[in-house]
Amino acid sequence: MSKKSYFDKNNEYLINWKSVILLKKYMTRFGDIKPRRFTGNSVSQQKKVRKAIIRARELGIIEYIK
C-alpha cells in the first residue's frame, strides 16, 4: 500500500529551505530525514526535500540533531 504524497505539480514549488514548518514534517524527532517509504514522495520530490533540509541545516535554520 503506497502513501499519497502531499506534493503534486501545482504545489511542488513549496519545497524550499525557508519553509521550516513543512520541512520539519519530513524529519524524525531526532533530526534525521524520513525515508521515501514513510513520506510517500516520488524520487524527485524526495531529492528536493532532502536538498532543502540540508541547505536549511547549513544556514542554521534547522538543527542537525536534537
Side-chain angles (χ1 to χ4, degrees), residues 14-38:
L14 295 174
I15 305 173
N16 195 347
W17 60 268
K18 293 179 267 188
S19 56
V20 176
I21 297 169
L22 180 72
L23 293 178
K24 285 193 176 186
K25 291 181 182 178
Y26 291 98
M27 296 174 69
T28 63
R29 63 186 179 141
F30 302 110
D32 300 331
I33 301 171
K34 289 184 183 177
R36 263 186 66 218
R37 65 178 179 260
F38 297 133

Side-chain angles (χ1 to χ4, degrees), residues 46-60:
Q46 186 69 17
K47 284 182 181 180
K48 289 178 184 177
V49 168
R50 183 178 182 278
K51 195 172 188 178
I53 289 173
I54 290 172
R55 283 186 181 167
R57 282 177 177 171
E58 289 175 355
L59 292 171

